[in-house]
Amino acid sequence: MTPNTADRMTAVLKTRPEPGMALESVPVPEPGSGEVRIRVESVGIDGGAEALIYDWHESKRYYADQLPQLFGHEFAGVIDETGPDVDGFEAGTRVAVEPVLGCGRCRLCRSGSFGICPDRRIVGLHPDLDGALAEYAVVPQETLYPIGSLSADEGVFLELLGLAVHGIERSGFEPGDSVAISGPGSVGIGALVAAVAGGASSVTVIGTADDREDRLPLARELGATRTVTAENAEAKLAEEVDVFVEASGHPDAVSLASSATRRDGEIVQIGIFHGSETVPVDLTRLVRRGVSITTVYGRRDSSWRRAIAIAENADLSPALGPSFPLGEYERAFDATRRREGIKITLHP
């Protein structure tokens, strides 16, 4: 046990019941049975989670009754201390964290689909599970994935890459297939990396006019065969694709996917829609063309292991950053609003 932990304090970011967050000092948490304490090296800002919470988007106001709360669900660091009954992990091991915790008992968890367990909880998003916008975080040992020599920022990106890998796993994708990806954000870029690693014959990444100067060139650096903007995507997609990965969470992208996917092809829906309106889908057209839709949420153990293998053999640096010290969190969230980079991280 680390000496004098009761006397140590750690800085954390806690959300208040209003836009913004506050930096506070709290005691260093102690791991319980089966838990480890991680010294957080890098924690990501998710544009669909922490960023919307920070700006108090209407879709996140259900948190109001639980605030203040410590968020942060994409993170990596070094095991600082192990609690009783921890097996296979020791202090000094560098790890990334699977934030989704299933109940472990239901049919879904037993089959490995813990991400869609009806009783799942998410570290850093569930009121009872403090997150990693802090110098230290305590998590169950079953959430850990050793990352070896990968950087902490790469460890953060593994959560997104693992989601994309799971999408490819669940789909009928085969080496040599053509792929289109809508949305060059962190999930879409993860899908690009996964598709390239899986042997896609071509990968077209579709963004908006705002992506022309940064995200689309970055996608080409990471292996995209072609990049186009949504305004003229149909005209520039000379041929229908085998697999269309929708990672933008924009209703128009679903319509584009329906028209750009070949007969007997597949749409993989990863993007989350945060608006209050339903998304129209022309199911009759899809049925008549034999196009299937596969929805994806979360990861499996196999997704993590494949994502780590991909990261060890790929240059992910174009997708990482910018990074900020934890104390400069306001700058980091401003950068997220301005859509700077792909995976913005904070370093406690």
mmCIF file with all atom_site columns, all heavy atoms in Angstrom, residues 254 257-259 261-267 281-294:
data_model
loop_
_atom_site.group_PDB
_atom_site.id
_atom_site.type_symbol
_atom_site.label_atom_id
_atom_site.label_alt_id
_atom_site.label_comp_id
_atom_site.label_asym_id
_atom_site.label_entity_id
_atom_site.label_seq_id
_atom_site.pdbx_PDB_ins_code
_atom_site.Cartn_x
_atom_site.Cartn_y
_atom_site.Cartn_z
_atom_site.occupancy
_atom_site.B_iso_or_equiv
_atom_site.pdbx_formal_charge
_atom_site.auth_seq_id
_atom_site.auth_comp_id
_atom_site.auth_asym_id
_atom_site.auth_atom_id
_atom_site.pdbx_PDB_model_num
ATOM 1   N N   . VAL A 1 254 ? -27.709 8.906   -43.144 1.00 0.00 ? 254 VAL A N   1
ATOM 2   C CA  . VAL A 1 254 ? -28.453 7.655   -43.295 1.00 0.00 ? 254 VAL A CA  1
ATOM 3   C C   . VAL A 1 254 ? -29.069 7.579   -44.689 1.00 0.00 ? 254 VAL A C   1
ATOM 4   O O   . VAL A 1 254 ? -29.047 6.527   -45.336 1.00 0.00 ? 254 VAL A O   1
ATOM 5   C CB  . VAL A 1 254 ? -29.546 7.542   -42.218 1.00 0.00 ? 254 VAL A CB  1
ATOM 6   C CG1 . VAL A 1 254 ? -30.353 6.260   -42.401 1.00 0.00 ? 254 VAL A CG1 1
ATOM 7   C CG2 . VAL A 1 254 ? -28.921 7.571   -40.827 1.00 0.00 ? 254 VAL A CG2 1
ATOM 8   N N   . ALA A 1 257 ? -26.280 6.810   -47.061 1.00 0.00 ? 257 ALA A N   1
ATOM 9   C CA  . ALA A 1 257 ? -25.904 5.403   -46.963 1.00 0.00 ? 257 ALA A CA  1
ATOM 10  C C   . ALA A 1 257 ? -26.878 4.522   -47.723 1.00 0.00 ? 257 ALA A C   1
ATOM 11  O O   . ALA A 1 257 ? -26.478 3.546   -48.384 1.00 0.00 ? 257 ALA A O   1
ATOM 12  C CB  . ALA A 1 257 ? -25.845 4.981   -45.500 1.00 0.00 ? 257 ALA A CB  1
ATOM 13  N N   . SER A 1 258 ? -28.161 4.849   -47.668 1.00 0.00 ? 258 SER A N   1
ATOM 14  C CA  . SER A 1 258 ? -29.175 4.043   -48.341 1.00 0.00 ? 258 SER A CA  1
ATOM 15  C C   . SER A 1 258 ? -28.996 4.038   -49.850 1.00 0.00 ? 258 SER A C   1
ATOM 16  O O   . SER A 1 258 ? -29.251 3.031   -50.518 1.00 0.00 ? 258 SER A O   1
ATOM 17  C CB  . SER A 1 258 ? -30.576 4.569   -47.989 1.00 0.00 ? 258 SER A CB  1
ATOM 18  O OG  . SER A 1 258 ? -30.811 4.493   -46.608 1.00 0.00 ? 258 SER A OG  1
ATOM 19  N N   . SER A 1 259 ? -28.539 5.170   -50.380 1.00 0.00 ? 259 SER A N   1
ATOM 20  C CA  . SER A 1 259 ? -28.374 5.269   -51.835 1.00 0.00 ? 259 SER A CA  1
ATOM 21  C C   . SER A 1 259 ? -26.990 4.857   -52.310 1.00 0.00 ? 259 SER A C   1
ATOM 22  O O   . SER A 1 259 ? -26.806 4.551   -53.491 1.00 0.00 ? 259 SER A O   1
ATOM 23  C CB  . SER A 1 259 ? -28.662 6.699   -52.296 1.00 0.00 ? 259 SER A CB  1
ATOM 24  O OG  . SER A 1 259 ? -27.742 7.608   -51.714 1.00 0.00 ? 259 SER A OG  1
ATOM 25  N N   . THR A 1 261 ? -25.029 2.334   -50.940 1.00 0.00 ? 261 THR A N   1
ATOM 26  C CA  . THR A 1 261 ? -24.668 0.948   -50.648 1.00 0.00 ? 261 THR A CA  1
ATOM 27  C C   . THR A 1 261 ? -25.230 0.037   -51.718 1.00 0.00 ? 261 THR A C   1
ATOM 28  O O   . THR A 1 261 ? -26.409 0.143   -52.097 1.00 0.00 ? 261 THR A O   1
ATOM 29  C CB  . THR A 1 261 ? -25.225 0.524   -49.271 1.00 0.00 ? 261 THR A CB  1
ATOM 30  O OG1 . THR A 1 261 ? -24.774 1.459   -48.282 1.00 0.00 ? 261 THR A OG1 1
ATOM 31  C CG2 . THR A 1 261 ? -24.754 -0.871  -48.902 1.00 0.00 ? 261 THR A CG2 1
ATOM 32  N N   . ARG A 1 262 ? -24.417 -0.857  -52.223 1.00 0.00 ? 262 ARG A N   1
ATOM 33  C CA  . ARG A 1 262 ? -24.834 -1.732  -53.331 1.00 0.00 ? 262 ARG A CA  1
ATOM 34  C C   . ARG A 1 262 ? -25.941 -2.689  -52.893 1.00 0.00 ? 262 ARG A C   1
ATOM 35  O O   . ARG A 1 262 ? -26.170 -2.913  -51.708 1.00 0.00 ? 262 ARG A O   1
ATOM 36  C CB  . ARG A 1 262 ? -23.649 -2.544  -53.846 1.00 0.00 ? 262 ARG A CB  1
ATOM 37  C CG  . ARG A 1 262 ? -23.117 -3.572  -52.851 1.00 0.00 ? 262 ARG A CG  1
ATOM 38  C CD  . ARG A 1 262 ? -22.203 -4.579  -53.539 1.00 0.00 ? 262 ARG A CD  1
ATOM 39  N NE  . ARG A 1 262 ? -21.541 -5.466  -52.592 1.00 0.00 ? 262 ARG A NE  1
ATOM 40  C CZ  . ARG A 1 262 ? -22.103 -6.549  -52.051 1.00 0.00 ? 262 ARG A CZ  1
ATOM 41  N NH1 . ARG A 1 262 ? -23.361 -6.876  -52.347 1.00 0.00 ? 262 ARG A NH1 1
ATOM 42  N NH2 . ARG A 1 262 ? -21.409 -7.313  -51.210 1.00 0.00 ? 262 ARG A NH2 1
ATOM 43  N N   . ARG A 1 263 ? -26.615 -3.282  -53.894 1.00 0.00 ? 263 ARG A N   1
ATOM 44  C CA  . ARG A 1 263 ? -27.579 -4.335  -53.605 1.00 0.00 ? 263 ARG A CA  1
ATOM 45  C C   . ARG A 1 263 ? -26.878 -5.473  -52.863 1.00 0.00 ? 263 ARG A C   1
ATOM 46  O O   . ARG A 1 263 ? -25.761 -5.849  -53.221 1.00 0.00 ? 263 ARG A O   1
ATOM 47  C CB  . ARG A 1 263 ? -28.203 -4.857  -54.896 1.00 0.00 ? 263 ARG A CB  1
ATOM 48  C CG  . ARG A 1 263 ? -29.102 -3.838  -55.594 1.00 0.00 ? 263 ARG A CG  1
ATOM 49  C CD  . ARG A 1 263 ? -29.600 -4.354  -56.934 1.00 0.00 ? 263 ARG A CD  1
ATOM 50  N NE  . ARG A 1 263 ? -30.412 -3.348  -57.605 1.00 0.00 ? 263 ARG A NE  1
ATOM 51  C CZ  . ARG A 1 263 ? -31.743 -3.234  -57.475 1.00 0.00 ? 263 ARG A CZ  1
ATOM 52  N NH1 . ARG A 1 263 ? -32.390 -4.107  -56.688 1.00 0.00 ? 263 ARG A NH1 1
ATOM 53  N NH2 . ARG A 1 263 ? -32.408 -2.295  -58.101 1.00 0.00 ? 263 ARG A NH2 1
ATOM 54  N N   . ASP A 1 264 ? -27.540 -5.998  -51.843 1.00 0.00 ? 264 ASP A N   1
ATOM 55  C CA  . ASP A 1 264 ? -26.993 -7.056  -50.999 1.00 0.00 ? 264 ASP A CA  1
ATOM 56  C C   . ASP A 1 264 ? -25.792 -6.569  -50.188 1.00 0.00 ? 264 ASP A C   1
ATOM 57  O O   . ASP A 1 264 ? -25.019 -7.375  -49.673 1.00 0.00 ? 264 ASP A O   1
ATOM 58  C CB  . ASP A 1 264 ? -26.618 -8.292  -51.828 1.00 0.00 ? 264 ASP A CB  1
ATOM 59  C CG  . ASP A 1 264 ? -26.495 -9.545  -50.979 1.00 0.00 ? 264 ASP A CG  1
ATOM 60  O OD1 . ASP A 1 264 ? -27.242 -9.656  -49.986 1.00 0.00 ? 264 ASP A OD1 1
ATOM 61  O OD2 . ASP A 1 264 ? -25.637 -10.400 -51.279 1.00 0.00 ? 264 ASP A OD2 1
ATOM 62  N N   . GLY A 1 265 ? -25.631 -5.246  -50.081 1.00 0.00 ? 265 GLY A N   1
ATOM 63  C CA  . GLY A 1 265 ? -24.562 -4.693  -49.267 1.00 0.00 ? 265 GLY A CA  1
ATOM 64  C C   . GLY A 1 265 ? -25.036 -4.465  -47.839 1.00 0.00 ? 265 GLY A C   1
ATOM 65  O O   . GLY A 1 265 ? -26.072 -4.985  -47.417 1.00 0.00 ? 265 GLY A O   1
ATOM 66  N N   . GLU A 1 266 ? -24.272 -3.666  -47.092 1.00 0.00 ? 266 GLU A N   1
ATOM 67  C CA  . GLU A 1 266 ? -24.566 -3.534  -45.669 1.00 0.00 ? 266 GLU A CA  1
ATOM 68  C C   . GLU A 1 266 ? -24.260 -2.130  -45.163 1.00 0.00 ? 266 GLU A C   1
ATOM 69  O O   . GLU A 1 266 ? -23.244 -1.532  -45.527 1.00 0.00 ? 266 GLU A O   1
ATOM 70  C CB  . GLU A 1 266 ? -23.735 -4.547  -44.879 1.00 0.00 ? 266 GLU A CB  1
ATOM 71  C CG  . GLU A 1 266 ? -24.015 -4.575  -43.392 1.00 0.00 ? 266 GLU A CG  1
ATOM 72  C CD  . GLU A 1 266 ? -23.277 -5.711  -42.698 1.00 0.00 ? 266 GLU A CD  1
ATOM 73  O OE1 . GLU A 1 266 ? -22.318 -6.255  -43.303 1.00 0.00 ? 266 GLU A OE1 1
ATOM 74  O OE2 . GLU A 1 266 ? -23.650 -6.044  -41.558 1.00 0.00 ? 266 GLU A OE2 1
ATOM 75  N N   . ILE A 1 267 ? -25.167 -1.618  -44.323 1.00 0.00 ? 267 ILE A N   1
ATOM 76  C CA  . ILE A 1 267 ? -24.946 -0.363  -43.610 1.00 0.00 ? 267 ILE A CA  1
ATOM 77  C C   . ILE A 1 267 ? -24.643 -0.705  -42.158 1.00 0.00 ? 267 ILE A C   1
ATOM 78  O O   . ILE A 1 267 ? -25.393 -1.439  -41.510 1.00 0.00 ? 267 ILE A O   1
ATOM 79  C CB  . ILE A 1 267 ? -26.191 0.541   -43.676 1.00 0.00 ? 267 ILE A CB  1
ATOM 80  C CG1 . ILE A 1 267 ? -26.494 0.918   -45.129 1.00 0.00 ? 267 ILE A CG1 1
ATOM 81  C CG2 . ILE A 1 267 ? -25.978 1.809   -42.830 1.00 0.00 ? 267 ILE A CG2 1
ATOM 82  C CD1 . ILE A 1 267 ? -27.832 1.620   -45.304 1.00 0.00 ? 267 ILE A CD1 1
ATOM 83  N N   . VAL A 1 281 ? -35.996 6.534   -42.316 1.00 0.00 ? 281 VAL A N   1
ATOM 84  C CA  . VAL A 1 281 ? -35.263 5.539   -43.092 1.00 0.00 ? 281 VAL A CA  1
ATOM 85  C C   . VAL A 1 281 ? -36.221 4.935   -44.109 1.00 0.00 ? 281 VAL A C   1
ATOM 86  O O   . VAL A 1 281 ? -37.320 4.496   -43.747 1.00 0.00 ? 281 VAL A O   1
ATOM 87  C CB  . VAL A 1 281 ? -34.697 4.422   -42.184 1.00 0.00 ? 281 VAL A CB  1
ATOM 88  C CG1 . VAL A 1 281 ? -33.958 3.379   -43.015 1.00 0.00 ? 281 VAL A CG1 1
ATOM 89  C CG2 . VAL A 1 281 ? -33.785 4.996   -41.115 1.00 0.00 ? 281 VAL A CG2 1
ATOM 90  N N   . ASP A 1 282 ? -35.804 4.912   -45.368 1.00 0.00 ? 282 ASP A N   1
ATOM 91  C CA  . ASP A 1 282 ? -36.631 4.321   -46.420 1.00 0.00 ? 282 ASP A CA  1
ATOM 92  C C   . ASP A 1 282 ? -36.415 2.807   -46.411 1.00 0.00 ? 282 ASP A C   1
ATOM 93  O O   . ASP A 1 282 ? -35.643 2.261   -47.203 1.00 0.00 ? 282 ASP A O   1
ATOM 94  C CB  . ASP A 1 282 ? -36.251 4.923   -47.773 1.00 0.00 ? 282 ASP A CB  1
ATOM 95  C CG  . ASP A 1 282 ? -37.184 4.479   -48.903 1.00 0.00 ? 282 ASP A CG  1
ATOM 96  O OD1 . ASP A 1 282 ? -38.005 3.578   -48.656 1.00 0.00 ? 282 ASP A OD1 1
ATOM 97  O OD2 . ASP A 1 282 ? -37.054 5.012   -50.018 1.00 0.00 ? 282 ASP A OD2 1
ATOM 98  N N   . LEU A 1 283 ? -37.103 2.130   -45.500 1.00 0.00 ? 283 LEU A N   1
ATOM 99  C CA  . LEU A 1 283 ? -36.904 0.684   -45.354 1.00 0.00 ? 283 LEU A CA  1
ATOM 100 C C   . LEU A 1 283 ? -37.341 -0.082  -46.592 1.00 0.00 ? 283 LEU A C   1
ATOM 101 O O   . LEU A 1 283 ? -36.745 -1.115  -46.924 1.00 0.00 ? 283 LEU A O   1
ATOM 102 C CB  . LEU A 1 283 ? -37.661 0.177   -44.128 1.00 0.00 ? 283 LEU A CB  1
ATOM 103 C CG  . LEU A 1 283 ? -37.049 0.524   -42.767 1.00 0.00 ? 283 LEU A CG  1
ATOM 104 C CD1 . LEU A 1 283 ? -37.950 0.018   -41.644 1.00 0.00 ? 283 LEU A CD1 1
ATOM 105 C CD2 . LEU A 1 283 ? -35.654 -0.094  -42.631 1.00 0.00 ? 283 LEU A CD2 1
ATOM 106 N N   . THR A 1 284 ? -38.380 0.398   -47.278 1.00 0.00 ? 284 THR A N   1
ATOM 107 C CA  . THR A 1 284 ? -38.837 -0.311  -48.472 1.00 0.00 ? 284 THR A CA  1
ATOM 108 C C   . THR A 1 284 ? -37.730 -0.389  -49.514 1.00 0.00 ? 284 THR A C   1
ATOM 109 O O   . THR A 1 284 ? -37.491 -1.450  -50.122 1.00 0.00 ? 284 THR A O   1
ATOM 110 C CB  . THR A 1 284 ? -40.067 0.388   -49.065 1.00 0.00 ? 284 THR A CB  1
ATOM 111 O OG1 . THR A 1 284 ? -41.122 0.370   -48.103 1.00 0.00 ? 284 THR A OG1 1
ATOM 112 C CG2 . THR A 1 284 ? -40.539 -0.323  -50.333 1.00 0.00 ? 284 THR A CG2 1
ATOM 113 N N   . ARG A 1 285 ? -37.029 0.708   -49.724 1.00 0.00 ? 285 ARG A N   1
ATOM 114 C CA  . ARG A 1 285 ? -35.907 0.703   -50.679 1.00 0.00 ? 285 ARG A CA  1
ATOM 115 C C   . ARG A 1 285 ? -34.835 -0.289  -50.246 1.00 0.00 ? 285 ARG A C   1
ATOM 116 O O   . ARG A 1 285 ? -34.307 -1.043  -51.060 1.00 0.00 ? 285 ARG A O   1
ATOM 117 C CB  . ARG A 1 285 ? -35.313 2.109   -50.794 1.00 0.00 ? 285 ARG A CB  1
ATOM 118 C CG  . ARG A 1 285 ? -34.031 2.178   -51.630 1.00 0.00 ? 285 ARG A CG  1
ATOM 119 C CD  . ARG A 1 285 ? -33.464 3.590   -51.660 1.00 0.00 ? 285 ARG A CD  1
ATOM 120 N NE  . ARG A 1 285 ? -32.137 3.618   -52.259 1.00 0.00 ? 285 ARG A NE  1
ATOM 121 C CZ  . ARG A 1 285 ? -31.891 3.641   -53.554 1.00 0.00 ? 285 ARG A CZ  1
ATOM 122 N NH1 . ARG A 1 285 ? -32.900 3.615   -54.412 1.00 0.00 ? 285 ARG A NH1 1
ATOM 123 N NH2 . ARG A 1 285 ? -30.662 3.671   -54.015 1.00 0.00 ? 285 ARG A NH2 1
ATOM 124 N N   . LEU A 1 286 ? -34.510 -0.281  -48.959 1.00 0.00 ? 286 LEU A N   1
ATOM 125 C CA  . LEU A 1 286 ? -33.475 -1.190  -48.473 1.00 0.00 ? 286 LEU A CA  1
ATOM 126 C C   . LEU A 1 286 ? -33.910 -2.641  -48.623 1.00 0.00 ? 286 LEU A C   1
ATOM 127 O O   . LEU A 1 286 ? -33.115 -3.503  -49.023 1.00 0.00 ? 286 LEU A O   1
ATOM 128 C CB  . LEU A 1 286 ? -33.145 -0.874  -47.012 1.00 0.00 ? 286 LEU A CB  1
ATOM 129 C CG  . LEU A 1 286 ? -32.565 0.511   -46.729 1.00 0.00 ? 286 LEU A CG  1
ATOM 130 C CD1 . LEU A 1 286 ? -32.309 0.684   -45.230 1.00 0.00 ? 286 LEU A CD1 1
ATOM 131 C CD2 . LEU A 1 286 ? -31.279 0.745   -47.514 1.00 0.00 ? 286 LEU A CD2 1
ATOM 132 N N   . VAL A 1 287 ? -35.160 -2.918  -48.296 1.00 0.00 ? 287 VAL A N   1
ATOM 133 C CA  . VAL A 1 287 ? -35.658 -4.291  -48.419 1.00 0.00 ? 287 VAL A CA  1
ATOM 134 C C   . VAL A 1 287 ? -35.602 -4.763  -49.860 1.00 0.00 ? 287 VAL A C   1
ATOM 135 O O   . VAL A 1 287 ? -35.151 -5.878  -50.163 1.00 0.00 ? 287 VAL A O   1
ATOM 136 C CB  . VAL A 1 287 ? -37.095 -4.393  -47.862 1.00 0.00 ? 287 VAL A CB  1
ATOM 137 C CG1 . VAL A 1 287 ? -37.715 -5.741  -48.215 1.00 0.00 ? 287 VAL A CG1 1
ATOM 138 C CG2 . VAL A 1 287 ? -37.093 -4.195  -46.348 1.00 0.00 ? 287 VAL A CG2 1
ATOM 139 N N   . ARG A 1 288 ? -36.059 -3.940  -50.768 1.00 0.00 ? 288 ARG A N   1
ATOM 140 C CA  . ARG A 1 288 ? -36.088 -4.326  -52.181 1.00 0.00 ? 288 ARG A CA  1
ATOM 141 C C   . ARG A 1 288 ? -34.698 -4.492  -52.768 1.00 0.00 ? 288 ARG A C   1
ATOM 142 O O   . ARG A 1 288 ? -34.518 -5.212  -53.753 1.00 0.00 ? 288 ARG A O   1
ATOM 143 C CB  . ARG A 1 288 ? -36.890 -3.301  -52.988 1.00 0.00 ? 288 ARG A CB  1
ATOM 144 C CG  . ARG A 1 288 ? -38.386 -3.391  -52.736 1.00 0.00 ? 288 ARG A CG  1
ATOM 145 C CD  . ARG A 1 288 ? -39.147 -2.307  -53.454 1.00 0.00 ? 288 ARG A CD  1
ATOM 146 N NE  . ARG A 1 288 ? -40.593 -2.526  -53.336 1.00 0.00 ? 288 ARG A NE  1
ATOM 147 C CZ  . ARG A 1 288 ? -41.522 -1.647  -53.676 1.00 0.00 ? 288 ARG A CZ  1
ATOM 148 N NH1 . ARG A 1 288 ? -41.146 -0.448  -54.151 1.00 0.00 ? 288 ARG A NH1 1
ATOM 149 N NH2 . ARG A 1 288 ? -42.798 -1.919  -53.528 1.00 0.00 ? 288 ARG A NH2 1
ATOM 150 N N   . ARG A 1 289 ? -33.726 -3.826  -52.178 1.00 0.00 ? 289 ARG A N   1
ATOM 151 C CA  . ARG A 1 289 ? -32.348 -3.952  -52.666 1.00 0.00 ? 289 ARG A CA  1
ATOM 152 C C   . ARG A 1 289 ? -31.537 -4.957  -51.848 1.00 0.00 ? 289 ARG A C   1
ATOM 153 O O   . ARG A 1 289 ? -30.368 -5.197  -52.142 1.00 0.00 ? 289 ARG A O   1
ATOM 154 C CB  . ARG A 1 289 ? -31.667 -2.581  -52.620 1.00 0.00 ? 289 ARG A CB  1
ATOM 155 C CG  . ARG A 1 289 ? -32.205 -1.599  -53.657 1.00 0.00 ? 289 ARG A CG  1
ATOM 156 C CD  . ARG A 1 289 ? -31.712 -0.181  -53.399 1.00 0.00 ? 289 ARG A CD  1
ATOM 157 N NE  . ARG A 1 289 ? -30.272 -0.105  -53.336 1.00 0.00 ? 289 ARG A NE  1
ATOM 158 C CZ  . ARG A 1 289 ? -29.457 -0.010  -54.377 1.00 0.00 ? 289 ARG A CZ  1
ATOM 159 N NH1 . ARG A 1 289 ? -29.975 -0.014  -55.617 1.00 0.00 ? 289 ARG A NH1 1
ATOM 160 N NH2 . ARG A 1 289 ? -28.159 0.071   -54.221 1.00 0.00 ? 289 ARG A NH2 1
ATOM 161 N N   . GLY A 1 290 ? -32.143 -5.522  -50.821 1.00 0.00 ? 290 GLY A N   1
ATOM 162 C CA  . GLY A 1 290 ? -31.438 -6.522  -50.016 1.00 0.00 ? 290 GLY A CA  1
ATOM 163 C C   . GLY A 1 290 ? -30.319 -5.945  -49.177 1.00 0.00 ? 290 GLY A C   1
ATOM 164 O O   . GLY A 1 290 ? -29.373 -6.662  -48.817 1.00 0.00 ? 290 GLY A O   1
ATOM 165 N N   . VAL A 1 291 ? -30.414 -4.653  -48.837 1.00 0.00 ? 291 VAL A N   1
ATOM 166 C CA  . VAL A 1 291 ? -29.377 -4.011  -48.021 1.00 0.00 ? 291 VAL A CA  1
ATOM 167 C C   . VAL A 1 291 ? -29.687 -4.252  -46.548 1.00 0.00 ? 291 VAL A C   1
ATOM 168 O O   . VAL A 1 291 ? -30.793 -3.963  -46.076 1.00 0.00 ? 291 VAL A O   1
ATOM 169 C CB  . VAL A 1 291 ? -29.312 -2.495  -48.304 1.00 0.00 ? 291 VAL A CB  1
ATOM 170 C CG1 . VAL A 1 291 ? -28.307 -1.818  -47.374 1.00 0.00 ? 291 VAL A CG1 1
ATOM 171 C CG2 . VAL A 1 291 ? -28.930 -2.250  -49.760 1.00 0.00 ? 291 VAL A CG2 1
ATOM 172 N N   . SER A 1 292 ? -28.738 -4.763  -45.807 1.00 0.00 ? 292 SER A N   1
ATOM 173 C CA  . SER A 1 292 ? -28.939 -5.022  -44.384 1.00 0.00 ? 292 SER A CA  1
ATOM 174 C C   . SER A 1 292 ? -28.393 -3.858  -43.555 1.00 0.00 ? 292 SER A C   1
ATOM 175 O O   . SER A 1 292 ? -27.523 -3.112  -44.000 1.00 0.00 ? 292 SER A O   1
ATOM 176 C CB  . SER A 1 292 ? -28.252 -6.320  -43.969 1.00 0.00 ? 292 SER A CB  1
ATOM 177 O OG  . SER A 1 292 ? -26.854 -6.236  -44.186 1.00 0.00 ? 292 SER A OG  1
ATOM 178 N N   . ILE A 1 293 ? -28.937 -3.705  -42.341 1.00 0.00 ? 293 ILE A N   1
ATOM 179 C CA  . ILE A 1 293 ? -28.471 -2.686  -41.403 1.00 0.00 ? 293 ILE A CA  1
ATOM 180 C C   . ILE A 1 293 ? -27.999 -3.383  -40.137 1.00 0.00 ? 293 ILE A C   1
ATOM 181 O O   . ILE A 1 293 ? -28.735 -4.164  -39.532 1.00 0.00 ? 293 ILE A O   1
ATOM 182 C CB  . ILE A 1 293 ? -29.577 -1.679  -41.049 1.00 0.00 ? 293 ILE A CB  1
ATOM 183 C CG1 . ILE A 1 293 ? -30.096 -0.973  -42.308 1.00 0.00 ? 293 ILE A CG1 1
ATOM 184 C CG2 . ILE A 1 293 ? -29.050 -0.656  -40.047 1.00 0.00 ? 293 ILE A CG2 1
ATOM 185 C CD1 . ILE A 1 293 ? -31.232 -0.013  -42.028 1.00 0.00 ? 293 ILE A CD1 1
ATOM 186 N N   . THR A 1 294 ? -26.761 -3.106  -39.756 1.00 0.00 ? 294 THR A N   1
ATOM 187 C CA  . THR A 1 294 ? -26.195 -3.649  -38.523 1.00 0.00 ? 294 THR A CA  1
ATOM 188 C C   . THR A 1 294 ? -25.914 -2.491  -37.583 1.00 0.00 ? 294 THR A C   1
ATOM 189 O O   . THR A 1 294 ? -25.201 -1.550  -37.945 1.00 0.00 ? 294 THR A O   1
ATOM 190 C CB  . THR A 1 294 ? -24.895 -4.421  -38.804 1.00 0.00 ? 294 THR A CB  1
ATOM 191 O OG1 . THR A 1 294 ? -25.185 -5.524  -39.659 1.00 0.00 ? 294 THR A OG1 1
ATOM 192 C CG2 . THR A 1 294 ? -24.278 -4.936  -37.511 1.00 0.00 ? 294 THR A CG2 1
#
